[in-house]
Amino acid sequence: MRHSVRRKSEAMSQSGGGILPWSRMFAGCLLVLLLIASLGLARAAEDPAPSNAVPTVAEERLALELPAGDGQQKDGEAEGKKPQKRLLAIPFPFYNATIGPGVGVGFVAQGYLQPQAITVGAALMGAGSYSIFFKELNYQFPWWKRVILEPDVYVGKYDQIKSYTGSTNTNFVGQRAGSNESSQENYRRTDVSDQWINMVTKFLLPIGQGKDRVFPKLVLDRGLFVSGDTGGDVWNPFKSGRTYLEVVPFERRQGLLDNFPHSKTAGIDTGLRYENTDFRGNPTKGSMQRVWFIRDWGALDSTAPYSVYGAEFAKYFSIGPSDRARQRTFALDIWTVNCPTWDDSSTVNGVDNTFHRPPGYKGGSLGGLSRLRAYDATRYNDQAAILYTLEYRYLLNWNPLKDVTMGGKLDVQWFELVPFAEVGRVAPSWNIEALHKRMKNDVGVGLRAMVNNITIRIDVAYGTEGYNTQMFVGHPFPVF
């Protein structure tokens, strides 16, 4: 049974307890983190690379639990019960190590456009920086229910961002910034303007458990999987899990404002994803596999044509509950990417010898939000990359905010401690031997929570170049 904050406070005062004031403060911090993360400001601020650099391959997506609807149950509610609409909107202060302090306003809306749909938006403003972000999730195409639309749009500007790109730094003659052996100090600072649109479109194939139902019918206990028609027990795309064909037309313009090159890319990201886990929002068993191919043909005033392909494999091993944990899970992820056009060149837009290389957010890079989290974003970038990640996800029995609801607007389902380790590297070609020599590594620990059906995280990692704190939405893998 849930109580309002006021009634709970009165009960604590009468019994001499003192936990709620701390819980209120903690709840406020979580909401700030949720809204900062939902914006994705760190991702935008982390990608100041011009067109000859090569970082992260795909946009980070929100990991979430679908609200009840389309035959899906939530937390044991009866089938057919109309899902509750929920809107959380709040102004907040924020701080990010990349862009400094600022203020913002954000919102999360559930069940308004469609019962299972979630809308996230936010706007931030700091000293010389601003950003506006919008993301729709799980919206079914009205005339073709197997097509799921998840577009996102972003506009922003940032001051003095680190860029690990190029070979023109006079303090490091002959060294390409971002290469595996490059110096930590080989970067340049520049102002960045950034705009993008991704028309994320997913088609659910009529096989496996996606044959009869688009969205899974789940029974959850405070954000933890109990039962449902998802997957994870056997590996067979025709019997278990759901398989998606993904097509993402995209366009992104990024300007480095201090006499450095601008970049524009426009193309299509296509992929095939086999989702065979028990619960996408926080998997405890099963696996996920994805392969993808990105192509920019050089049209629409793109900086250069290029191709990128990659693959990812994630596996989950449940070891069950314990005295202090509702669930314990080992999560393993292997991710790799290659740009076969890296050394190709041609005359593009009147510029001779333009290399056919992706910008710093569409290729092989390590560092930042999700891959080698102890290192600066795009710290390492090259033609090819590989990364191994192991996490121990310890979902706590302890939840001091389970009764703090803010009038029904806030629902904190669980907290999770996550020790993790990562090892990987970038290389000038995809060569299995080269990719496993002189690898970079880090270790860290994260605190995660499921808040209003969205997983949020704070990860602190330490590597050879120091430590970093990463705050974002969703687990770092797999990318959705």
Side-chain angles (χ1 to χ4, degrees):
M1 179 178 180
R2 291 182 178 173
H3 306 275
S4 69
V5 173
R6 180 177 178 180
R7 289 178 180 174
K8 186 70 174 179
S9 179
E10 291 171 352
M12 292 298 291
S13 297
Q14 292 170 1
S15 64
I19 192 172
L20 192 68
W22 173 86
S23 296
R24 280 177 171 168
M25 181 177 67
F26 195 20
C29 293
L30 277 172
L31 289 176
V32 170
L33 173 58
L34 169 65
L35 295 171
I36 292 174
S38 67
L39 173 66
L41 66 94
R43 175 180 59 205
E46 287 176 347
D47 292 332
S51 59
N52 61 344
V54 202
T56 313
V57 76
E59 298 296 339
E60 171 122 25
R61 310 293 169 81
L62 305 180
L64 56 102
E65 167 194 327
L66 299 178
D70 276 6
Q72 178 188 1
Q73 289 175 284
K74 179 188 173 194
D75 292 345
E77 293 178 352
E79 268 191 88
K81 182 177 179 180
K82 186 176 180 180
Q84 179 183 2
K85 293 180 180 179
R86 180 181 294 165
L87 175 64
L88 175 66
I90 188 171
F92 56 91
F94 76 91
Y95 178 82
N96 177 273
T98 305
I99 63 174
V103 295
V105 61
F107 71 90
V108 179
Q110 297 172 287
Y112 282 85
L113 297 181
Q114 290 178 348
Q116 78 289 341
I118 295 180
T119 306
V120 177
L124 300 181
M125 180 171 293
S129 301
Y130 68 86
S131 55
I132 302 171
F133 177 77
F134 168 84
K135 174 74 176 177
E136 184 65 32
L137 293 147
N138 299 310
Y139 183 86
Q140 285 182 291
F141 194 74
W143 301 283
W144 198 359
K145 297 299 185 182
R146 289 191 173 276
V147 176
I148 302 168
L149 305 177
E150 297 185 336
D152 57 76
V153 180
Y154 172 86
V155 177
K157 176 183 176 294
Y158 296 97
D159 282 349
Q160 295 301 295
I161 303 301
K162 288 183 180 180
S163 176
Y164 290 93
T165 59
S167 304
T168 59
N169 191 328
T170 56
N171 295 321
F172 301 92
V173 177
Q175 182 185 102
R176 190 183 71 80
S179 63
N180 195 67
E181 309 303 329
S182 63
S183 169
Q184 179 184 4
E185 304 301 321
N186 189 356
Y187 65 85
R188 54 191 180 185
R189 288 192 176 272
T190 176
D191 295 346
V192 178
S193 66
D194 200 5
Q195 308 91 39
W196 81 61
I197 180 169
N198 296 307
M199 294 303 298
V200 181
T201 307
K202 302 190 295 186
F203 175 73
L204 177 65
L205 299 183
I207 60 175
Q209 287 162 311
K211 183 177 181 179
D212 300 318
R213 189 186 298 272
V214 175
F215 295 110
K217 176 183 175 181
L218 296 176
V219 177
L220 305 174
D221 176 18
R222 293 169 293 153
L224 187 62
F225 176 82
V226 175
S227 64
D229 59 336
T230 49
D233 293 320
V234 297
W235 194 97
N236 187 335
F238 295 96
K239 293 183 178 180
S240 178
R242 285 169 167 78
T243 303
Y244 299 89
L245 176 63
E246 302 172 331
V247 180
V248 186
F250 63 85
E251 179 177 297
R252 186 166 183 175
R253 300 171 182 265
Q254 193 171 80
L256 299 154
L257 305 182
D258 297 332
N259 298 315
F260 293 133
H262 290 38
S263 71
K264 178 188 174 183
T265 180
I268 297 179
D269 180 343
T270 58
L272 185 67
R273 181 192 302 269
Y274 177 40
E275 183 75 28
N276 186 39
T277 62
D278 55 352
F279 174 35
R280 171 183 167 182
N282 195 44
T284 64
K285 64 179 179 179
S287 63
M288 188 288 306
Q289 298 85 47
R290 181 176 185 253
V291 293
W292 65 88
F293 177 77
I294 302 172
R295 179 61 183 170
D296 181 331
W297 288 270
L300 301 177
D301 199 33
S302 288
T303 303
Y306 64 85
S307 297
V308 172
Y309 59 83
E312 184 174 17
F313 170 79
K315 178 65 178 176
Y316 304 91
F317 305 90
S318 172
I319 57 175
S322 68
D323 291 341
R324 297 185 179 182
R326 296 175 59 204
Q327 175 62 39
R328 297 170 297 164
T329 306
F330 282 104
L332 170 69
D333 187 75
I334 303 172
W335 171 90
T336 188
V337 69
N338 184 40
C339 174
T341 61
W342 185 265
D343 292 323
D344 296 344
S345 64
S346 63
T347 300
V348 179
N349 298 327
V351 180
D352 294 334
N353 298 319
T354 299
F355 284 105
H356 297 185
R357 299 175 180 179
Y361 37 84
K362 287 291 184 184
S365 74
L366 298 174
L369 289 174
S370 301
R371 303 184 179 105
L372 280 189
R373 282 161 274 178
Y375 299 84
D376 291 337
T378 74
R379 169 63 183 91
Y380 298 104
N381 59 84
D382 214 321
Q383 175 180 336
I386 196 167
L387 181 70
Y388 301 90
T389 304
L390 179 64
E391 294 192 336
Y392 177 51
R393 299 177 180 176
Y394 189 90
L395 199 150
L396 299 166
N397 280 322
W398 175 77
N399 183 352
L401 302 184
K402 63 182 179 181
D403 295 320
V404 180
T405 66
M406 294 181 62
K409 295 182 179 180
L410 178 67
D411 184 14
V412 180
Q413 289 105 320
W414 48 252
F415 288 95
E416 190 174 59
L417 289 177
V418 187
F420 61 86
E422 302 171 294
V423 59
R425 71 158 288 175
V426 299
S429 65
W430 204 100
N431 178 281
I432 194 69
E433 183 178 358
L435 285 168
H436 290 82
K437 290 182 177 179
R438 298 185 298 278
M439 301 177 79
K440 309 302 179 182
N441 61 79
D442 64 17
V443 294
V445 64
L447 174 63
R448 300 177 191 172
M450 181 167 278
V451 180
N452 285 27
N453 303 322
I454 296 177
T455 301
I456 60 176
R457 63 181 168 98
I458 307 175
D459 293 333
V460 180
Y462 179 81
T464 57
E465 296 182 356
Y467 73 92
N468 261 325
T469 300
Q470 308 291 352
M471 303 190 304
F472 206 65
V473 174
H475 295 292
F477 64 85
V479 172
F480 287 102

